[in-house]
Amino acid sequence: MIELFVMVLLAVGALWFAFALIGLVFKVTFALVGGLFGLLAGMVGLLIGGVVLLMVAPFVLLALLPLCLPALLMVGLVWAIVHAARRKPTAAPQPSH
């Protein structure tokens, strides 16, 4: 009787091990396929997001223009002062022959 019990346990254990290996193969296969689809979806999402960002960026910049206008005017004023303060280099006198 004990031998029969050991044989049944051995058969059940072997079946469990075989099904565990089959499950492992399915897990690895679907993980790889799912990972590839996830990478593909991420790349497509980045592409679409980049295109949408390029299309929307000018409108966002125009909407933020009133907020940035004082800083832009200050930068323009500083540039104008620096530009006006620069002296043009005087040309060196040419020696005559």
Side-chain angles (χ1 to χ4, degrees), residues 46-86:
L46 281 175
L47 177 70
I48 291 173
V51 169
V52 168
L53 180 65
L54 285 175
M55 290 182 349
V56 171
F59 299 112
V60 172
L61 289 176
L62 282 174
L64 291 177
L65 183 63
L67 185 68
C68 299
L69 202 54
L72 288 173
L73 289 174
M74 187 66 67
V75 168
L77 179 65
V78 169
W79 178 84
I81 291 171
V82 168
H83 186 71
R86 282 193 190 153

Side-chain angles (χ1 to χ4, degrees), residues 2-3 11 20 24 28 32 40 42 49 57 60 73 76 94:
I2 293 176
E3 294 87 7
L24 178 68
V28 169
L32 289 175
L40 181 66
V60 172
L73 289 174
Q94 298 293 330

